[in-house]
Amino acid sequence: MRSPASIPEHLRDFHVVTCEHGGKRIPAAYVDLFHGWQARLSSHRGYDRGALIMARDLAAALQAPLVTSTVSRLLVDLNRSLSSPQAWSDATRALSPTSKQAIVSRHYAPYRQRLMNTVAEAVAAGQRVIHVSSHSFTPVLDGQVRNADIGLLYDPARPGEVAVAARWKAALAEHSAELRVRRNYPYHGKNDGLTTAMRRCFAPSEYVGIEIELNQALVLSQPRLWRQLRRAVVTTLASALR
């Protein structure tokens, strides 16, 4: 049997899909903190509309493990480090350290640990992990219109991520030329986030983290167009990974 190091790279790839902002649910223990917050919970501030179903489609197509959360990011943001001011919302920022730790122990830490365990097990087996994190963004933020349909976020200093993002963008251009696809937009892939945290634990040869950001204008479009978009994303990712 060949050692893992001698196995061609494409045969060693292991895929995992996550969705950190999949829902707007507030656990019963914290409902009182969010009295009057219904509009915010249902907005882009509460969750990433469409990201969960996109994650499910990707995981099914790749036959990959799926790690998701439907607890609102306004309770605690799973895609932020706990030292970030953005980890806590106005509803939870003033909670006592004990109360915050209870939220972390129940919702934040298990989510991150599940992904960490999944990646670590694959790496230990000699596989390179390709992690796709599913997100969506509001078409207009603070009066500024976002001029993209799809964003692919990655760390430009990691060659594997550069290569996957470039191939995925090219595949999208060939499959659906009308889509506006931009790299590291509307956010930078090396900013504070779950993929950035994973990069600190695993070498570029072991871990490739790509965030996909979908414009919520497309998520909220006609159901047929939304289905077509998801099919395009799935089809082109499969092509990019071959």
Side-chain angles (χ1 to χ4, degrees):
M1 179 179 294
R2 294 177 297 176
S3 66
S6 66
I7 298 175
E9 185 175 66
H10 71 283
L11 294 181
R12 294 192 288 115
D13 285 348
F14 175 92
H15 306 126
V16 60
V17 180
T18 68
C19 182
E20 289 69 64
H21 304 144
K24 56 184 177 180
R25 181 172 63 89
I26 297 296
Y30 304 102
V31 167
D32 289 346
L33 293 174
F34 292 89
H35 180 70
W37 281 57
Q38 286 74 16
R40 273 174 285 186
L41 286 167
S42 297
S43 75
H44 70 276
R45 301 187 187 281
Y47 76 117
D48 284 1
R49 189 184 296 270
L52 182 59
I53 189 170
M54 185 74 262
R56 288 171 174 164
D57 286 357
L58 287 168
L62 297 174
Q63 298 183 357
L66 177 63
V67 182
T68 68
S69 172
T70 58
V71 172
S72 175
R73 65 197 300 175
L74 293 175
L75 183 72
V76 62
D77 194 330
L78 303 180
N79 199 40
R80 294 287 176 261
S81 59
L82 291 175
S83 60
S84 168
Q86 295 178 301
W88 304 98
S89 71
D90 290 343
T92 56
R93 190 169 292 113
L95 289 174
S96 69
T98 299
S99 296
K100 284 184 175 180
Q101 185 56 51
I103 293 173
V104 170
S105 297
R106 177 67 180 86
H107 301 287
Y108 183 97
Y111 184 92
R112 289 203 163 205
Q113 193 61 52
R114 181 180 173 194
L115 176 62
M116 180 66 70
N117 292 345
T118 299
V119 174
E121 289 173 7
V123 169
Q127 296 174 292
R128 181 182 70 160
V129 174
I130 297 180
H131 168 206
V132 180
S133 178
S134 177
H135 296 267
S136 67
F137 61 92
T138 182
V140 181
L141 182 65
D142 299 329
Q144 182 176 358
V145 177
R146 267 81 173 270
N147 57 350
D149 298 314
I150 297 176
L152 301 176
L153 280 53
Y154 61 96
D155 186 342
R158 295 172 75 99
E161 297 185 10
V162 174
V164 170
R167 290 199 301 268
W168 199 355
K169 185 176 186 295
L172 280 163
E174 182 176 354
H175 185 278
S176 303
E178 73 283 0
L179 289 174
R180 300 169 299 169
V181 182
R182 296 183 62 177
R183 286 178 284 185
N184 281 325
Y185 182 90
Y187 311 105
H188 294 294
K190 62 181 181 180
N191 287 353
D192 179 50
L194 182 55
T195 52
T196 297
M198 298 298 292
R199 292 178 191 123
R200 288 195 288 267
C201 300
F202 300 98
S205 60
E206 298 172 333
Y207 172 83
V208 170
I210 304 289
E211 294 179 70
I212 181 167
E213 290 272 2
L214 303 180
N215 192 319
Q216 291 173 9
L218 297 177
V219 175
L220 295 170
S221 64
Q222 299 176 18
R224 177 179 59 83
L225 296 178
W226 172 219
R227 288 194 298 270
Q228 288 176 351
L229 174 65
R230 300 201 316 270
R231 282 198 294 270
V233 168
V234 167
T235 300
T236 55
L237 176 60
S239 176
L241 295 179
R242 273 197 287 271

